Structure formats: C-alpha cells, structure tokens
Amino acid sequence: MTPSPVRRRLPPAERREEILKAATELIAASGFKGVTLEAFAAACGMTKAGLLHHFRSREELLIAVLERRDTLDLASVADTLEPAPDAAVARAVMSGFVRRNLAQRSLVQLYTVLSAEALDPAHPAHVYFRTRLSEGRAMLECYLLAWHPRPGQAAVDLLAFLDGLQLNWLRDGGIDFLAQWEAFADRFFAA
Amino acid sequence: MTPSPVRRRLPPAERREEILKAATELIAASGFKGVTLEAFAAACGMTKAGLLHHFRSREELLIAVLERRDTLDLASVADTLEPAPDAAVARAVMSGFVRRNLAQRSLVQLYTVLSAEALDPAHPAHVYFRTRLSEGRAMLECYLLAWHPRPGQAAVDLLAFLDGLQLNWLRDGGIDFLAQWEAFADRFFAA
DNA sequence: TAAGTTATCTACCGTTTGGTAGATAGCGCT
DNA sequence: AGCGCTATCTACCAAACGGTAGATAACTTA
C-alpha cells in the first residue's frame, strides 16, 4: 500500500526488535484482534510480506511479543528476588512492579487487553495466560506461607487488587496508581 | 450458508430479545471483535440479512446488548437501594452484585472482555464504559462519605478489588468468588 | 569489482467480512 | 378466501484480511 520512499534494510535482530516494539504498542492500543498484519508492518515502514519474512505468521508474532515482555519483566526484578522468600520481599517485588508499570502504561494495557481477549479458549494466547497466572499465584503464595494464616486467600487478594487497580488506572488516568497501592499495602501487610 | 430447514417468523420484540441474549453469550466468549454478523445470526437460526432487519448495523447491536444489561442490572438492585445511603448499604449492594454475578458468569465475562477492548478510544463502546464507570464510582463514593475519612480512595479500593477478583475468577474457576469477597469485605468494613 | 546471500518489495490469490437489493412467505385483518 | 404488511431469505458486492510466489535490491566477502 505504502509506496516505499526508501528501502531500509536492517540486520534481522534489529528488525525483529523494531517490529516487536511497534507491535507491542499497537496491540496495547487495540488488542490483537484489532490489528492487521499490514498495520504491524506499516508501523515499521515496511510491507506485510517483508514482516512475514521475520515472523512466519501473525500468530507467531503475537507469541514473540509475549515472550519478549516476559524476558524484560523477569530481568527487571531479578535483583529484588535475591533474599529468602518472605512477606516483606513479596511486598517489595509487588511495589517494584507497580513503579515499573507506572512508567510503561502501554505495556500494562497490552497485558490487560490481551489477557481479557485470551479468556476465550480458542485464542492463540489462552494457554499462555493460564499457565503464567497460576505460576505467579503459586510463587506469591509461597512467599506468604510463613506469615499469613491463609496464604492462598491472601495471594488471591493481592493479585486481584493489583489487577483491578491497574484496570481502573487504565480506564481513568486520574487515579493515583502508586499512592493507592501503597495505602492498600500498608493496611494489608500490617495485619 | 445454513440451508434453512424452517422459516421461523417471530414478533419483533421476541426476536430482538432472542438476538440480544444470544449475542451476549457470543460476545462474552470471544469479545465483540471476535464475533461476526453471520455468527450472531446463526445463533438464532437466521441469516445476516434477517438480523440486520432488527439492528441496522453490527455496532447498533452491540450498543443494544450493553443497554439491555444495564437495564437488567439496575432492576435487580432497585430494592436494595431504598434506605438512606451509608456504608452498610454500599456493602449490601456490592454483595448483591457478587451473588448475582456468581450465577451469570457469561455476563461477567461479557463485561470484562468488552471493557478491556473498549480501552481503545476508537472502540464503539469506549465512551459508554468511561461514563458508566465514573458514575459508578461517584455513587459509591457518596455512600462512603459519612463513614470513611478518604471516601474517594476507599471507593477506588473497593471497585479495584471487585474488578480484579472477577477477572481472576474468570481466568481460574477454582477461585471461591463469594468467600473471597466476603472475607475481604469483613476486613474492609470493620476499620 | 563480481558473486552470493537475503531482506524487502510488487502482485496476486482465496476467503471472510459488513452491508444492500430484491424476491418470498408467514401472519393479522376484513 | 383474499389482501397487505413485514419478517425473513437468497444472491450479490466491494473492501479487507492472512498468506504465497517470484522479482529486486542492499549489504558481505573474496
């Protein structure tokens, strides 16, 4: 469609990274179902065919986007996880997530939109989200084990509140994400 | 596509209701972007053209689905709202919602999926959700006004937790939605 | 500079999509 | 029974979609 003014040729690694970054933004804005191959390509100044040279299908692109986010996310909290797992560490990790997400609204929106879409068992990312979330809860539960009488319930409480707060923050930017979380955590971890 | 075995002719009111119920189920399962006109029609044993006789466009159908849910929802809590607004009433209303939603998983999923899709300003239901949610929070805040020192923050806390809990319940049916909510509310409304 | 590799493009295909036009048939009324 | 209304259908369209095939051009290396 776009009559290419210039033909930029990039090494595969760079091009892949460029595509993944752009795709992340687009999916965050409109969901996976809401973005076409051509839109993904155009955002990098190339054509569908060019993009499909790097990702064999639209679906493969989605999975690459998710895996990239996982990698970046884990790397960012790696150092916080060093001490022995206990409730204080759990709070620190979660506060870290909050602070990080504050600065990356579009990434948060990507996850929110996609994880809702993926409630449909037929969605390409359905199993991805199921496994990822149950792993997350299990890890958190393990952190709360020695501190809370019902660690399972507490883990669900925390994740539910965080998910819901993110969602409402996306819907209404007027919410003070960080302050709201810290106030809640103060009460929660005081008991 | 479907070689109609019989031609059912219904009065418009009945047919509209049938279509809206079916559409609600389908959107809950796959989102609005995930369902085609033909799928909506086929679920009622008719063709696209037949459906478009009752709703002028796909988008108009979506809006009708949302408005119908609003109507049913408001009617179901109308009697709980009678007493003067205070914190106890707020909790009663919210508990009512939880109990009701427990029995209508697909409706909850409809709202969850749609409200995530509608984060995109270009989505046909974007403004609908923005206004609806801010109204809801304002109403809740008003209920908490005389009881909580920071009613605004408290309202956000409650809605965030409820939204997040619903979301996690949809993702993992193993969660005891009601018990989890009641335990949280006990703590929240004790302070 | 010449050859080889491959990232990118143009052009196309088959399918699906939302929507329209006009024919058909079920129902209420007299 | 016969007429009118309209809910529904069949047939169609233009646009958009994901993906493929083969041509082209930008780098690398000798």
Side-chain angles (χ1 to χ4, degrees), chain A residues 28-31 109 113 116-117 167 170-171, chain B residues 32-33 62 66 110-130 133:
Chain A
S30 308
Q109 187 157 330
V113 173
E117 266 186 16
L167 186 58
L170 289 174
R171 296 201 268 229
Chain B
F32 182 59
K33 289 176 185 161
L62 169 64
L66 292 174
L110 165 80
Y111 245 59
T112 302
V113 173
L114 257 186
S115 75
E117 267 186 14
L119 286 174
D120 181 3
H123 194 281
H126 181 74
V127 291
Y128 170 88
F129 277 101
R130 273 196 81 80
L133 289 165

Short mmCIF file of all heavy atoms in Angstrom, two decimals, chain A residues 28-31 109 113 116-117 167 170-171, chain B residues 32-33 62 66 110-130 133:
data_model
loop_
_atom_site.label_atom_id
_atom_site.label_comp_id
_atom_site.label_asym_id
_atom_site.label_seq_id
_atom_site.Cartn_x
_atom_site.Cartn_y
_atom_site.Cartn_z
N ALA A 28 -1.36 -3.06 22.44
CA ALA A 28 -1.83 -2.39 23.65
C ALA A 28 -2.99 -1.46 23.35
O ALA A 28 -3.93 -1.35 24.13
CB ALA A 28 -0.68 -1.61 24.29
N ALA A 29 -2.93 -0.81 22.21
CA ALA A 29 -3.98 0.16 21.89
C ALA A 29 -5.27 -0.51 21.44
O ALA A 29 -6.36 -0.08 21.83
CB ALA A 29 -3.49 1.12 20.80
N SER A 30 -5.18 -1.55 20.65
CA SER A 30 -6.39 -2.09 20.01
C SER A 30 -6.60 -3.58 20.18
O SER A 30 -7.52 -4.13 19.58
CB SER A 30 -6.35 -1.78 18.51
OG SER A 30 -6.11 -0.41 18.30
N GLY A 31 -5.77 -4.24 20.96
CA GLY A 31 -5.91 -5.69 21.10
C GLY A 31 -5.33 -6.41 19.90
O GLY A 31 -5.05 -5.80 18.87
N GLN A 109 -1.31 -1.98 29.41
CA GLN A 109 -2.52 -2.10 28.61
C GLN A 109 -2.45 -3.31 27.69
O GLN A 109 -3.44 -4.01 27.48
CB GLN A 109 -2.74 -0.81 27.80
CG GLN A 109 -4.06 -0.81 27.08
CD GLN A 109 -4.54 0.60 26.77
OE1 GLN A 109 -4.24 1.55 27.48
NE2 GLN A 109 -5.30 0.73 25.71
N VAL A 113 -5.48 -5.94 27.93
CA VAL A 113 -6.33 -6.21 26.78
C VAL A 113 -6.18 -7.65 26.32
O VAL A 113 -7.15 -8.37 26.09
CB VAL A 113 -5.99 -5.24 25.63
CG1 VAL A 113 -6.74 -5.61 24.38
CG2 VAL A 113 -6.32 -3.82 26.04
N ALA A 116 -7.67 -10.35 28.61
CA ALA A 116 -9.13 -10.44 28.51
C ALA A 116 -9.54 -11.15 27.23
O ALA A 116 -10.36 -12.08 27.26
CB ALA A 116 -9.75 -9.04 28.56
N GLU A 117 -8.95 -10.77 26.14
CA GLU A 117 -9.20 -11.47 24.87
C GLU A 117 -8.96 -12.96 25.03
O GLU A 117 -9.70 -13.79 24.50
CB GLU A 117 -8.26 -10.95 23.79
CG GLU A 117 -8.78 -9.85 22.92
CD GLU A 117 -7.79 -9.52 21.79
OE1 GLU A 117 -6.88 -10.33 21.50
OE2 GLU A 117 -7.95 -8.47 21.22
N LEU A 167 -6.41 -2.06 36.02
CA LEU A 167 -7.51 -1.90 35.07
C LEU A 167 -8.17 -0.53 35.23
O LEU A 167 -8.39 0.20 34.26
CB LEU A 167 -8.52 -3.01 35.30
CG LEU A 167 -9.68 -3.12 34.32
CD1 LEU A 167 -9.18 -3.30 32.91
CD2 LEU A 167 -10.58 -4.29 34.72
N LEU A 170 -6.03 2.25 34.00
CA LEU A 170 -6.05 2.38 32.54
C LEU A 170 -7.31 3.10 32.09
O LEU A 170 -7.30 3.91 31.16
CB LEU A 170 -6.00 0.99 31.89
CG LEU A 170 -4.67 0.25 31.99
CD1 LEU A 170 -4.80 -1.15 31.45
CD2 LEU A 170 -3.59 1.01 31.25
N ARG A 171 -8.41 2.80 32.75
CA ARG A 171 -9.68 3.39 32.33
C ARG A 171 -9.74 4.86 32.69
O ARG A 171 -10.36 5.66 32.00
CB ARG A 171 -10.85 2.66 33.01
CG ARG A 171 -10.94 1.21 32.57
CD ARG A 171 -12.31 0.65 32.81
NE ARG A 171 -12.43 0.00 34.10
CZ ARG A 171 -12.95 -1.22 34.28
NH1 ARG A 171 -13.36 -1.91 33.24
NH2 ARG A 171 -13.06 -1.73 35.48
N PHE B 32 -16.27 -8.63 21.22
CA PHE B 32 -17.08 -8.10 20.12
C PHE B 32 -16.34 -8.23 18.80
O PHE B 32 -16.92 -8.63 17.79
CB PHE B 32 -17.40 -6.62 20.40
CG PHE B 32 -18.26 -5.98 19.36
CD1 PHE B 32 -19.52 -6.50 19.08
CD2 PHE B 32 -17.82 -4.88 18.67
CE1 PHE B 32 -20.32 -5.90 18.12
CE2 PHE B 32 -18.62 -4.28 17.71
CZ PHE B 32 -19.87 -4.80 17.43
N LYS B 33 -15.05 -7.95 18.83
CA LYS B 33 -14.26 -8.06 17.61
C LYS B 33 -14.17 -9.51 17.13
O LYS B 33 -13.83 -9.75 15.99
CB LYS B 33 -12.84 -7.53 17.84
CG LYS B 33 -12.77 -6.03 18.00
CD LYS B 33 -11.33 -5.59 18.33
CE LYS B 33 -11.27 -4.10 18.62
NZ LYS B 33 -10.04 -3.73 19.36
N LEU B 62 -24.35 -4.10 19.25
CA LEU B 62 -23.52 -4.06 20.45
C LEU B 62 -24.10 -3.11 21.48
O LEU B 62 -24.22 -3.44 22.67
CB LEU B 62 -22.10 -3.62 20.09
CG LEU B 62 -21.21 -3.28 21.27
CD1 LEU B 62 -20.98 -4.51 22.14
CD2 LEU B 62 -19.89 -2.69 20.83
N LEU B 66 -25.43 -3.80 25.45
CA LEU B 66 -24.97 -3.12 26.65
C LEU B 66 -26.14 -2.48 27.40
O LEU B 66 -26.25 -2.60 28.62
CB LEU B 66 -23.94 -2.06 26.28
CG LEU B 66 -22.61 -2.63 25.77
CD1 LEU B 66 -21.70 -1.51 25.29
CD2 LEU B 66 -21.94 -3.43 26.86
N LEU B 110 -18.70 -11.07 29.56
CA LEU B 110 -19.03 -10.06 28.55
C LEU B 110 -18.49 -8.70 28.95
O LEU B 110 -17.82 -8.02 28.18
CB LEU B 110 -20.55 -9.96 28.39
CG LEU B 110 -21.04 -8.72 27.64
CD1 LEU B 110 -20.90 -8.90 26.14
CD2 LEU B 110 -22.46 -8.37 27.99
N TYR B 111 -18.79 -8.32 30.16
CA TYR B 111 -18.35 -7.00 30.61
C TYR B 111 -16.84 -6.90 30.69
O TYR B 111 -16.26 -5.89 30.30
CB TYR B 111 -18.98 -6.68 31.97
CG TYR B 111 -19.92 -5.53 31.87
CD1 TYR B 111 -21.00 -5.58 31.01
CD2 TYR B 111 -19.70 -4.36 32.58
CE1 TYR B 111 -21.86 -4.51 30.88
CE2 TYR B 111 -20.56 -3.28 32.45
CZ TYR B 111 -21.63 -3.36 31.60
OH TYR B 111 -22.46 -2.30 31.45
N THR B 112 -16.22 -7.93 31.19
CA THR B 112 -14.77 -7.91 31.33
C THR B 112 -14.10 -7.77 29.98
O THR B 112 -13.26 -6.89 29.76
CB THR B 112 -14.31 -9.20 32.02
OG1 THR B 112 -14.95 -9.29 33.28
CG2 THR B 112 -12.80 -9.19 32.21
N VAL B 113 -14.47 -8.65 29.06
CA VAL B 113 -13.84 -8.65 27.75
C VAL B 113 -14.11 -7.34 27.02
O VAL B 113 -13.20 -6.71 26.47
CB VAL B 113 -14.36 -9.83 26.91
CG1 VAL B 113 -13.86 -9.75 25.49
CG2 VAL B 113 -13.94 -11.14 27.55
N LEU B 114 -15.35 -6.91 27.05
CA LEU B 114 -15.71 -5.69 26.33
C LEU B 114 -15.04 -4.47 26.92
O LEU B 114 -14.56 -3.60 26.20
CB LEU B 114 -17.23 -5.50 26.38
CG LEU B 114 -17.96 -5.86 25.10
CD1 LEU B 114 -19.42 -5.49 25.21
CD2 LEU B 114 -17.33 -5.16 23.92
N SER B 115 -14.97 -4.39 28.24
CA SER B 115 -14.42 -3.18 28.83
C SER B 115 -12.92 -3.10 28.57
O SER B 115 -12.36 -2.01 28.53
CB SER B 115 -14.71 -3.12 30.32
OG SER B 115 -13.89 -4.01 31.03
N ALA B 116 -12.28 -4.25 28.38
CA ALA B 116 -10.87 -4.22 28.01
C ALA B 116 -10.72 -3.80 26.55
O ALA B 116 -9.91 -2.92 26.23
CB ALA B 116 -10.23 -5.58 28.23
N GLU B 117 -11.49 -4.40 25.67
CA GLU B 117 -11.48 -4.00 24.26
C GLU B 117 -11.72 -2.49 24.14
O GLU B 117 -11.10 -1.82 23.33
CB GLU B 117 -12.60 -4.71 23.50
CG GLU B 117 -12.22 -6.01 22.83
CD GLU B 117 -13.39 -6.53 21.99
OE1 GLU B 117 -14.35 -5.79 21.73
OE2 GLU B 117 -13.33 -7.69 21.60
N ALA B 118 -12.62 -2.00 24.97
CA ALA B 118 -13.07 -0.62 24.83
C ALA B 118 -12.09 0.38 25.43
O ALA B 118 -12.36 1.57 25.45
CB ALA B 118 -14.44 -0.44 25.47
N LEU B 119 -10.96 -0.08 25.93
CA LEU B 119 -9.92 0.86 26.34
C LEU B 119 -9.44 1.66 25.13
O LEU B 119 -8.99 2.79 25.25
CB LEU B 119 -8.74 0.12 26.99
CG LEU B 119 -8.99 -0.42 28.39
CD1 LEU B 119 -7.82 -1.28 28.86
CD2 LEU B 119 -9.21 0.72 29.37
N ASP B 120 -9.53 1.06 23.98
CA ASP B 120 -9.20 1.74 22.73
C ASP B 120 -10.22 2.86 22.46
O ASP B 120 -11.41 2.59 22.33
CB ASP B 120 -9.24 0.72 21.59
CG ASP B 120 -8.89 1.35 20.25
OD1 ASP B 120 -8.58 2.55 20.23
OD2 ASP B 120 -8.93 0.62 19.24
N PRO B 121 -9.77 4.10 22.38
CA PRO B 121 -10.72 5.21 22.15
C PRO B 121 -11.53 5.05 20.87
O PRO B 121 -12.59 5.65 20.75
CB PRO B 121 -9.80 6.43 22.07
CG PRO B 121 -8.57 6.05 22.80
CD PRO B 121 -8.40 4.58 22.57
N ALA B 122 -11.04 4.25 19.94
CA ALA B 122 -11.77 4.08 18.68
C ALA B 122 -12.86 3.02 18.79
O ALA B 122 -13.64 2.84 17.86
CB ALA B 122 -10.79 3.71 17.57
N HIS B 123 -12.93 2.32 19.91
CA HIS B 123 -13.92 1.26 20.05
C HIS B 123 -15.32 1.86 20.19
O HIS B 123 -15.49 2.88 20.86
CB HIS B 123 -13.59 0.42 21.29
CG HIS B 123 -14.33 -0.88 21.35
ND1 HIS B 123 -15.64 -0.97 21.78
CD2 HIS B 123 -13.96 -2.14 21.04
CE1 HIS B 123 -16.02 -2.24 21.74
NE2 HIS B 123 -15.02 -2.97 21.28
N PRO B 124 -16.31 1.22 19.57
CA PRO B 124 -17.67 1.79 19.61
C PRO B 124 -18.24 1.91 21.02
O PRO B 124 -19.14 2.72 21.24
CB PRO B 124 -18.49 0.81 18.77
CG PRO B 124 -17.64 -0.40 18.57
CD PRO B 124 -16.23 0.07 18.66
N ALA B 125 -17.72 1.14 21.97
CA ALA B 125 -18.27 1.22 23.32
C ALA B 125 -17.36 2.01 24.27
O ALA B 125 -17.55 1.97 25.49
CB ALA B 125 -18.50 -0.19 23.87
N HIS B 126 -16.40 2.73 23.71
CA HIS B 126 -15.43 3.41 24.58
C HIS B 126 -16.10 4.42 25.52
O HIS B 126 -15.94 4.36 26.74
CB HIS B 126 -14.37 4.11 23.73
CG HIS B 126 -13.33 4.82 24.54
ND1 HIS B 126 -12.34 4.15 25.23
CD2 HIS B 126 -13.12 6.14 24.79
CE1 HIS B 126 -11.57 5.02 25.85
NE2 HIS B 126 -12.03 6.24 25.61
N VAL B 127 -16.86 5.32 24.97
CA VAL B 127 -17.47 6.36 25.81
C VAL B 127 -18.47 5.74 26.79
O VAL B 127 -18.57 6.17 27.94
CB VAL B 127 -18.15 7.45 24.97
CG1 VAL B 127 -17.12 8.26 24.23
CG2 VAL B 127 -19.14 6.86 24.02
N TYR B 128 -19.17 4.74 26.31
CA TYR B 128 -20.12 4.06 27.19
C TYR B 128 -19.44 3.64 28.49
O TYR B 128 -19.94 3.91 29.59
CB TYR B 128 -20.71 2.85 26.48
CG TYR B 128 -21.51 1.94 27.37
CD1 TYR B 128 -22.86 2.16 27.58
CD2 TYR B 128 -20.90 0.87 28.03
CE1 TYR B 128 -23.59 1.33 28.41
CE2 TYR B 128 -21.63 0.04 28.85
CZ TYR B 128 -22.97 0.27 29.04
OH TYR B 128 -23.68 -0.55 29.87
N PHE B 129 -18.30 3.00 28.37
CA PHE B 129 -17.65 2.49 29.58
C PHE B 129 -17.07 3.62 30.42
O PHE B 129 -17.12 3.57 31.65
CB PHE B 129 -16.57 1.47 29.22
CG PHE B 129 -17.13 0.10 29.00
CD1 PHE B 129 -17.33 -0.39 27.73
CD2 PHE B 129 -17.47 -0.70 30.08
CE1 PHE B 129 -17.86 -1.66 27.52
CE2 PHE B 129 -17.99 -1.97 29.89
CZ PHE B 129 -18.18 -2.44 28.61
N ARG B 130 -16.52 4.62 29.78
CA ARG B 130 -15.96 5.73 30.55
C ARG B 130 -17.03 6.37 31.44
O ARG B 130 -16.84 6.52 32.65
CB ARG B 130 -15.37 6.78 29.62
CG ARG B 130 -13.93 6.52 29.22
CD ARG B 130 -13.27 7.77 28.62
NE ARG B 130 -12.80 8.69 29.65
CZ ARG B 130 -11.67 8.53 30.32
NH1 ARG B 130 -10.91 7.48 30.07
NH2 ARG B 130 -11.30 9.39 31.23
N LEU B 133 -18.47 3.97 34.27
CA LEU B 133 -17.60 3.67 35.39
C LEU B 133 -17.42 4.87 36.30
O LEU B 133 -17.37 4.73 37.52
CB LEU B 133 -16.26 3.16 34.88
CG LEU B 133 -16.38 1.75 34.30
CD1 LEU B 133 -15.16 1.40 33.48
CD2 LEU B 133 -16.58 0.74 35.42
#
